[in-house]
């Protein structure tokens, strides 16, 4: 028995090693996401600057445009070359982006680099969760999957921490370092057994399972074969996303949740943190405040992994939305007073406090609930299409908010976009209370019954069964 436990632990060690080495790209992705915040002010202030004010919005949004292009690349690669090879492809693309950034001498080169980085981020963002879900033991799958979110935030904190103090070349080399380690180490790990079975290679699937389980895998291999065969038989078509009532509801909910993440300010905050802090006229170190903001988001992300199943999706999202709205309203009021020439010197702590509250409240619900709900709302036969479309809405809405933010900020003042974000946060809170179904503690089939409008019928059937059973017992007595 003791030997069996040791063998089982060694299998889990392989799972953890594969996930950590395979998701190092996410740290580099997080660095790309937050790169403009500390670096753009430095480039603009440089005597030999080749970045102009009109370039900033395009440098930020090229990452989003690359993300849209990455959707189609991922759909082609994931099932053709495999999950592992797709993740390594993303690492190579990411490496190319950092090389271009390190050697750039024009805004056009930065546009190309950011576009490639966006492709790499989206390819990995889709491929990594699939790989993790297919290799991980069900008891640790959730914790391993959460590393994607945490690693992304750590990359954000890293670029905030080193970006203002080192050259663009050195920060790029740091990003390349993570990618080099991934390419070297993750290359030694097996492909997903699920993918091998899709390619009709059961022996390779068995070898992969032996590495990740290191116990007798015959039972699990047989179960995986049945799952893959069933998925192939019931594979949905893209149009089923709109034709089937339950799929339409799921799509509508995911569209609202993914749009709400950005129209409550997420991308704007992460990509323009140093500009926002500079506009606030703080007496504290803006660079240190940005680092603290990132660290608070990391801590909130870890806490939310425990809260999501404790308090439920609806409660967490509604609390997150209304608290986020409050922090944005106060922040907007501060910038409004400052814009009108009011004296805000005694209240320089207000924007810092609002940003830290925003980091907590947004991360525990608005940023986290959509990630969990995406995997719950779509049925298996349409999940790939549903997740891809939801991801495209996520990326496009991010790009729109960046354009809107810069237009409103330059023409009307910093307070206007924050009032707009606050208004959207209130609407999301109302949506969570009145329109979003609660999926906590429900099986995937029960969730589909709710989306089909069969929840009351299910309850009626259960109650009828219980009454009949009670009647039969009474008659027997």
């Amino acid at each position: 028995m003791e030997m069996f436990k040791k063998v089982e632990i060694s299998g889990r060690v392989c799972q953890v090693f594969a996930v950590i080495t395979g998701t190092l790209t996410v740290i580099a992705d997080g660095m790309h996401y937050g790169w403009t915040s500390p670096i753009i002010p430095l480039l603009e202030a440089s005597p030999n600057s080749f970045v102009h004010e009109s370039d900033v919005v395009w440098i930020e949004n090229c990452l989003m445009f690359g993300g849209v292009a990455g959707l189609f690349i991922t759909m082609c690669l994931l099932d053709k070359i495999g999950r592992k090879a797709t993740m390594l492809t993303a690492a190579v693309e990411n490496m190319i982006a950092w090389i271009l950034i390190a050697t750039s001498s024009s805004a056009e080169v930065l546009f190309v680099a950011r576009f490639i980085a966006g492709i790499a981020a989206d390819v990995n963002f889709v491929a990594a969760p699939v790989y993790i879900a297919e290799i991980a033991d069900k008891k640790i799958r959730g914790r391993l999957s959460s590393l994607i979110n945490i690693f992304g935030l750590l990359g954000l904190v890293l670029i905030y921490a080193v970006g203002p103090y080192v050259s663009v070349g050195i920060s790029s080399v740091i990003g390349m370092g993570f990618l080099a380690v991934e390419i070297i180490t993750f290359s030694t790990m097996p492909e997903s057994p699920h993918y091998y079975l899709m390619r009709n290679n059961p022996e390779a699937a068995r070898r992969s399972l032996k590495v990740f389980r290191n116990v007798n895998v015959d039972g699990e291999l047989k179960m995986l074969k049945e799952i893959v065969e069933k998925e192939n038989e019931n594979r949905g078509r893209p149009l089923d996303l709109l034709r089937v009532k339950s799929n339409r509801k799921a799509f509508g909910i995911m569209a609202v949740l993914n749009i709400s993440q950005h129209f409550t300010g997420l991308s704007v905050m992460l990509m323009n943190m140093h500009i926002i802090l500079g506009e606030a006229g703080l007496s504290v170190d803006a660079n240190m405040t940005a680092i603290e903001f990132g660290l608070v988001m990391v801590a909130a992300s870890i806490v939310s992994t425990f809260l999501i199943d404790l308090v439920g999706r609806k409660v967490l999202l509604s609390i997150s939305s209304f608290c986020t709205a409050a922090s944005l309203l106060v922040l907007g009021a501060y910038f409004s007073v400052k814009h009108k020439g009011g004296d805000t010197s005694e209240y320089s702590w207000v924007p810092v406090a609002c940003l830290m509250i925003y980091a907590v409240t947004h991360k525990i619900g608005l940023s986290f609930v959509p990630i969990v709900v995406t995997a719950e709302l779509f049925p298996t036969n349409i999940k790939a299409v549903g997740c891809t479309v939801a991801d495209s809405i996520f990326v496009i809405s991010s790009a729109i908010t960046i354009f809107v933010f810069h237009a409103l900020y330059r023409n009307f003042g910093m307070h206007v976009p924050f009032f707009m974000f606050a208004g959207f946060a209130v609407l999301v809170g109302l949506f969570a209370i009145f329109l979003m179904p609660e999926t906590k503690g429900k099986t995937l089939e029960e969730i589909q019954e709710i989306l089909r409008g069969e929840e009351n019928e299910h309850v009626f059937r259960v109650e009828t069964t219980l009454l009949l059973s009670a009647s039969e017992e009474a008659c027997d007595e």
Side-chain angles (χ1 to χ4, degrees):
M1 186 68 179
E2 189 66 25
M3 176 176 278
F4 176 82
K5 288 182 179 179
K6 290 180 180 178
V7 171
E8 184 180 27
I9 290 172
S10 68
R12 287 192 178 178
V13 168
C14 290
Q15 294 172 39
V16 173
F17 183 77
V19 171
I20 291 176
T21 58
T23 54
L24 289 176
T25 307
V26 182
I27 298 178
D29 291 337
M31 292 178 67
H32 280 300
Y33 206 85
W35 185 86
T36 55
S37 182
I39 303 299
I40 291 297
L42 294 179
L43 292 176
E44 289 181 322
S46 172
N48 302 317
S49 176
F50 53 82
V51 173
H52 306 289
E53 186 178 7
S54 59
D55 297 325
V56 175
V57 68
W58 292 104
I59 291 173
E60 291 182 355
N61 264 330
C62 276
L63 188 74
M64 301 298 111
F65 298 149
V68 175
L71 290 169
F72 304 101
I73 294 174
T74 308
M75 290 173 69
C76 294
L77 295 181
L78 200 59
D79 286 340
K80 288 190 178 297
I81 67 173
R83 287 77 162 116
K84 172 186 167 182
T86 301
M87 292 164 70
L88 289 171
T89 299
V92 172
E93 292 168 342
N94 211 325
M95 181 79 78
I96 293 170
W98 281 120
I99 292 171
L100 289 174
I101 289 173
T103 58
S104 62
S105 57
S106 68
E108 289 73 21
V109 174
L110 285 181
F111 295 160
V112 174
R114 297 279 290 173
F115 185 82
I116 295 172
I119 293 174
D122 200 84
V123 169
N124 193 64
F125 186 77
V126 176
V130 173
Y131 181 80
I132 294 170
E134 292 178 354
I135 71 160
D137 186 289
K138 62 182 180 181
K139 294 180 181 178
I140 61 172
R141 185 186 301 138
R143 278 168 283 177
L144 291 180
S145 297
S146 69
L147 286 177
I148 297 174
N149 191 30
I150 294 170
F151 276 13
L153 289 172
L154 288 176
L156 181 82
V157 173
L158 182 59
I159 195 65
Y160 283 175
V162 303
Y165 307 110
V166 300
S167 68
V168 173
I170 292 177
S171 62
S172 300
V173 169
I174 294 172
M176 284 187 273
F178 291 104
L179 298 166
V181 173
E182 173 171 345
I183 292 169
I184 294 169
T185 56
F186 186 59
S187 298
T188 64
M189 300 309 298
E191 175 58 270
S192 151
H194 193 104
Y195 172 73
Y196 280 134
L197 289 173
M198 287 176 60
R199 308 303 290 183
N200 197 26
N201 192 344
E203 280 308 309
R206 181 188 296 276
R207 290 194 296 269
S208 176
L209 273 178
K210 285 292 288 183
V211 173
F212 293 125
R213 301 294 183 266
N214 213 357
V215 293
N216 191 322
V217 298
D218 290 340
E220 185 172 357
L221 185 63
K222 181 180 178 182
M223 181 184 68
L224 282 177
K225 283 182 181 178
E226 293 173 354
I227 291 172
V228 170
E229 289 172 1
K230 187 175 180 180
E231 287 178 350
N232 289 334
E233 290 173 1
N234 299 312
R235 197 167 295 278
R237 295 168 295 177
L239 285 178
D240 289 344
L241 195 63
L242 298 176
R243 287 175 177 167
V244 180
K245 178 183 176 181
S246 58
N247 292 342
R248 284 199 304 273
K249 284 188 177 181
F251 171 70
I253 293 166
M254 286 314 307
V256 171
L257 295 183
N258 281 332
I259 290 170
S260 70
Q261 291 187 68
H262 299 293
F263 275 87
T264 53
L266 180 62
S267 287
V268 167
M269 288 286 197
L270 298 181
M271 291 189 177
N272 296 276
M273 178 58 62
H274 287 73
I275 294 175
I276 294 168
L277 292 171
E279 187 72 16
L282 302 179
S283 57
V284 297
D285 185 354
N287 292 326
M288 187 55 65
T289 302
I291 295 169
E292 291 168 353
F293 177 87
L295 289 173
V296 169
M297 290 199 93
V298 172
S301 181
I302 294 171
V303 171
S304 61
T305 60
F306 298 97
L307 290 178
I308 193 75
D309 287 322
L310 185 64
V311 302
R313 285 69 161 144
K314 283 173 66 78
V315 174
L316 207 57
L317 183 60
S318 56
I319 292 174
S320 168
S321 299
F322 292 127
C323 291
T324 297
S327 66
L328 289 168
L329 278 172
V330 175
L331 191 59
Y334 174 89
F335 280 119
S336 179
V337 172
K338 196 171 185 300
H339 181 73
K340 294 176 181 177
D343 183 10
T344 58
S345 57
E346 294 184 10
Y347 303 98
S348 61
W349 58 270
V350 170
V352 176
C354 288
L355 288 171
M356 297 307 162
I357 292 171
Y358 176 93
V360 173
T361 59
H362 200 285
K363 201 63 197 175
I364 64 170
L366 283 162
S367 297
F368 193 74
V369 169
I371 298 172
V372 176
V373 173
T374 300
E376 296 176 329
L377 291 182
F378 292 114
T380 303
N381 66 333
I382 201 71
K383 187 166 290 188
V385 175
C387 290
T388 301
V389 174
D391 193 34
S392 67
I393 292 173
F394 176 91
V395 173
I396 292 168
S397 60
S398 175
I400 292 172
T401 56
I402 291 168
F403 275 118
V404 170
F405 167 76
H406 283 284
L408 293 177
Y409 163 49
R410 290 170 184 168
N411 293 300
F412 304 104
M414 183 67 80
H415 58 293
V416 176
F418 285 114
F419 284 143
M420 181 190 74
F421 294 150
F424 271 100
V426 172
L427 292 176
V428 177
L430 295 174
F431 173 84
I433 293 172
F434 296 108
L435 296 174
M436 181 178 162
E438 177 58 79
T439 58
K440 171 196 168 188
K442 292 181 171 61
T443 66
L444 296 180
E445 178 56 32
E446 287 172 341
I447 293 170
Q448 290 306 306
E449 287 180 350
I450 293 172
L451 293 174
R452 290 193 296 264
E454 299 173 1
E455 183 181 22
N456 293 332
E457 294 178 20
H458 175 75
V459 172
F460 176 76
R461 287 196 302 269
V462 172
E463 290 178 346
T464 302
T465 302
L466 291 174
L467 286 171
L468 289 172
S469 298
S471 299
E472 289 174 0
E473 290 177 5
C475 290
D476 291 340
E477 291 177 0

